[in-house]
Amino acid sequence: MTADKSFSFTQDQLCEIARDSLRYAREGGATSADVDVSEGWGHSVTVRHGEIETLEYNRDKGASISVYVGKRSGHANSADFSARALRDAVSAALTIARFTAEDPYSGLPETEELA
């Protein structure tokens, strides 16, 4: 799959970033984890009295990871997709999880519970 001219990353590259993040979490001791990796762009127009008042262009990317260590959870984000930044985000999430109180309802749903 090729990248749209407006995007910096292909779908395959975004999937690889997610796979790497999950691998880092496993290597760091997470019993489970989930990750959301995205890139987006758009335009916003505000019109007042029939005239364009503002025209904004936005571009965003980010990786959001939740890790679970038993029944403890931690969450961190990164807008930097470099291996070091992803490892740092996973490490931060793991540190948070290790210092968070256990929650008997914490964790990912069982496969049979998913739609």
Side-chain angles (χ1 to χ4, degrees):
M1 173 180 266
T2 60
D4 180 286
K5 292 179 200 174
S6 302
F7 293 105
S8 301
F9 298 88
T10 65
Q11 184 175 352
D12 290 341
Q13 289 172 313
L14 294 174
C15 287
E16 185 65 24
I17 290 165
R19 279 191 293 274
D20 288 347
S21 299
L22 293 173
R23 187 178 77 249
Y24 301 151
R26 257 190 322 277
E27 291 170 354
T31 53
S32 60
D34 69 62
V35 64
D36 176 25
V37 180
S38 64
E39 179 182 30
W41 60 270
H43 295 93
S44 175
V45 179
T46 304
V47 176
R48 181 176 169 154
H49 301 296
E51 303 271 332
I52 294 177
E53 186 172 62
T54 60
L55 177 61
E56 297 176 339
Y57 171 79
N58 61 61
R59 187 173 189 124
D60 188 34
K61 70 174 185 168
S64 176
I65 185 154
S66 295
V67 299
Y68 304 90
V69 179
K71 293 295 183 180
R72 299 170 188 258
S73 64
H75 185 83
N77 300 300
S78 178
D80 182 345
F81 288 169
S82 70
R84 181 181 180 126
L86 293 171
R87 283 185 186 275
D88 288 348
V90 169
S91 179
L94 286 164
T95 298
I96 292 166
R98 290 187 179 107
F99 288 96
T100 301
E102 284 195 13
D103 178 353
Y105 303 103
S106 181
L108 299 175
E110 298 299 325
T111 304
E112 60 272 3
E113 294 175 355
L114 297 173

